[in-house]
Amino acid sequence: MTETLTPAADAFFVVAEVIHGPHLAPRVGGGVYCSAECAEHGVRELVDDLRKEEGGSGLVLPHKGRLTGCVVTPSSRMWAVSILAHSELPAV
């Protein structure tokens, strides 16, 4: 009896990028998710982590079928937190 593995359609990551203010390197959330719906937990978690670390305010809203987060800090930095499929990540 032979077993075959079914490849996953895609893996999903949570990524935070500074979109305004003093630049910092992008941050990747702590997990790899099987779907965009599962990655929603990671968006909430990363928004909360950034908010606590930088002392700012954060919010999470649906955008184009995926949850998106935003954090604004007292140092005038704005972070966008997004769910990206593996296939949407830039090649390095």
Side-chain angles (χ1 to χ4, degrees):
M1 182 172 180
T2 59
E3 289 186 33
T4 59
L5 297 175
T6 304
D10 214 340
F12 291 83
F13 298 86
V14 176
V15 179
E17 296 180 271
V18 174
I19 58 172
H20 178 78
H23 179 74
L24 287 175
R27 286 191 43 184
V28 178
V32 178
Y33 302 92
C34 62
S35 68
E37 292 78 21
C38 289
E40 290 178 357
H41 172 75
V43 170
R44 289 184 183 93
E45 191 173 76
L46 190 50
V47 165
D48 195 46
D49 289 349
L50 288 168
R51 184 186 59 77
K52 287 177 182 174
E53 289 171 17
E54 297 206 29
S57 298
L59 61 97
V60 177
L61 298 168
H63 178 68
K64 295 185 180 181
R66 291 186 185 170
L67 210 58
T68 301
C70 180
V71 177
V72 179
T73 71
S75 64
S76 300
R77 184 177 290 128
M78 183 182 290
W79 291 87
V81 182
S82 306
I83 297 170
L84 296 176
H86 177 264
S87 58
E88 296 170 331
L89 292 172
V92 276

